[in-house]
Amino acid sequence: MNYRLIYNNFIFSRLNSAVGPGVYTERHHILPSCMGGGDGPENLIRLSAREHFIAHRLLAKIYPSELDLQLTVYLMRYNPQQGGKISSSRGFQILRKNAIKRITEIALSSWDGNDERKAKLLEHNSLIWNDPEFRSMMSSIMGPINEIRWKSKEFRDKVTNSNKSTWSSESKRSEHSSIMKEIWADQSRRESMSSVSSINWQDESFKRKAAEGLGSFFESNPNPWQRGKGAQNKIYWGLAGLFWDNSVSNPDCTTPLNPSKFSSIYDCGERKSIYYKMQDMFNEGWAPRKDPAWLLEFGSLGI
């Protein structure tokens, strides 16, 4: 039997047919590491646990003299908890899925409420990230990877959706707020974070990349209501038309309101800064009801 042809066809089929959403997957080296296969994306593929088992069974058949491949299949098949071997790829898939689930449960429970362990982790992270050599090493490793990642719209959308899902949770926001208050209450931590930031901004390469990133952000989000923090700010920008009607910048207004007065009437003084920004734009000639971008964004909701 031509196992090499079967393996090649199997890998080709998986490259052209992604694993379904929500399915547990594992990383597989198309050319095994023990035979010189690298960790580059061209040599990696995500397979389900069952497919991973099948792939290694085929590799062991193709290269019978490679002891590492034989050992890998042996370890995949051996199940001491059941007193013997797993007889099928489906059995391996079930075992691996349950094992990963149990390992995750153990890891989460070990961290839950363990303040001493969390404190040690924070201390450890603070030490290593204060080491310029470590930061330089991580930058050289992750820089090229992240540069490739962020060019992918799929990756950016994935990050955005993940952040939206995370921060929509009230408990998550409260937990984050509590952690940040704890961090900033510690003078030594504030000084440490300030020191790291200062070192970063002394690096010309860091400043250039930051400027490029900010420029790219403003280029893709040219309007101020696209750059606010959260949906609430967007709501206030929807009041721009109403503020223009009642603004001192509108010569036709009989009883003009300044930003502070308008804010006190319409949002209890919570977002004065936004209306001052609007007024500056009014003075520069911006009229929201004549701006196609504002009308497109708010339409009939803009008042």
Side-chain angles (χ1 to χ4, degrees):
M1 187 175 290
N2 191 339
Y3 291 110
R4 185 183 300 276
L5 178 62
I6 295 173
Y7 177 74
N8 290 342
N9 288 338
F10 173 74
I11 293 298
F12 181 78
S13 69
R14 301 323 301 153
L15 285 170
N16 291 279
S17 178
V19 178
V23 176
Y24 166 73
T25 62
E26 299 177 347
R27 189 180 70 165
H28 173 67
H29 289 81
I30 298 173
L31 178 65
S33 301
C34 62
M35 300 185 67
D39 292 330
E42 69 283 352
N43 192 48
L44 295 175
I45 186 174
R46 301 299 302 188
L47 301 174
S48 69
R50 185 182 185 193
E51 291 168 343
H52 199 190
F53 180 80
I54 292 172
H56 275 279
R57 287 272 286 173
L58 290 170
L59 284 169
K61 293 286 188 180
I62 298 169
Y63 305 105
S65 61
E66 285 292 333
L67 296 182
D68 283 349
L69 293 177
Q70 310 305 312
L71 177 61
T72 298
V73 173
Y74 172 79
L75 293 175
M76 281 181 157
R77 292 185 64 190
Y78 184 63
N79 178 18
Q81 292 181 342
Q82 295 182 2
K85 296 180 179 179
I86 300 170
S87 58
S88 68
S89 59
R90 190 176 297 278
F92 172 75
Q93 179 177 359
I94 294 172
L95 177 69
R96 182 63 68 92
K97 182 179 179 180
N98 291 338
I100 293 297
K101 181 179 179 181
R102 183 57 183 153
I103 290 171
T104 302
E105 290 174 351
I106 292 172
L108 291 175
S109 63
S110 67
W111 281 96
D112 187 26
N114 194 327
D115 295 333
E116 182 180 355
R117 183 172 291 185
K118 291 178 183 177
K120 287 183 178 179
L121 178 64
L122 285 172
E123 182 181 0
H124 172 71
N125 287 343
S126 176
L127 288 173
I128 62 174
W129 283 104
N130 281 332
D131 181 354
E133 185 176 346
F134 176 80
R135 290 201 307 276
S136 175
M137 178 191 71
M138 290 303 296
S139 177
S140 65
I141 294 172
M142 296 307 298
I145 295 175
N146 286 332
E147 186 174 351
I148 294 172
R149 280 176 170 174
W150 285 103
K151 287 181 179 178
S152 165
K153 186 177 185 305
E154 182 181 357
F155 178 79
R156 296 197 303 272
D157 290 344
K158 184 177 180 181
V159 172
T160 299
N161 292 333
S162 175
N163 287 338
K164 285 181 178 179
S165 176
T166 298
W167 292 107
S168 63
S169 167
E170 178 63 33
S171 60
K172 178 63 181 179
R173 294 198 299 272
S174 299
E175 179 185 3
H176 177 74
S177 176
S178 175
I179 291 173
M180 292 308 296
K181 286 179 181 178
E182 179 183 344
I183 289 175
W184 288 104
D186 186 331
Q187 177 67 24
S188 62
R189 284 183 184 174
R190 292 202 304 273
E191 291 175 353
S192 173
M193 294 172 75
S194 176
S195 173
V196 170
S197 180
S198 298
I199 292 172
N200 284 337
W201 285 105
Q202 290 171 10
D203 182 348
E204 292 299 324
S205 175
F206 177 86
K207 287 193 289 188
R208 186 185 69 255
K209 289 181 178 179
E212 290 173 353
L214 190 61
S216 176
F217 173 76
F218 275 87
E219 183 179 343
S220 58
N221 299 278
N223 302 303
W225 52 85
Q226 295 174 317
R227 304 192 292 264
K229 296 180 180 179
Q232 195 67 24
N233 278 16
K234 200 167 186 178
I235 293 174
Y236 298 126
W237 277 98
L239 296 173
L242 181 62
F243 183 36
W244 163 254
D245 295 339
N246 294 275
S247 170
V248 293
S249 303
N250 181 1
D252 298 327
C253 179
T254 55
T255 55
L257 300 175
N258 61 31
S260 295
K261 187 64 175 177
F262 186 85
S263 178
S264 66
I265 294 173
Y266 288 95
D267 65 23
C268 301
E270 291 183 358
R271 294 293 187 275
K272 283 190 297 185
S273 60
I274 293 180
Y275 302 114
Y276 276 105
K277 172 64 176 176
M278 289 182 194
Q279 188 176 59
D280 289 341
M281 293 173 65
F282 294 161
N283 293 335
E284 293 171 1
W286 182 60
R289 299 191 197 283
K290 296 180 181 179
D291 182 352
W294 185 85
L295 292 172
L296 179 65
E297 182 71 37
F298 299 102
S300 60
L301 295 178
I303 57 173

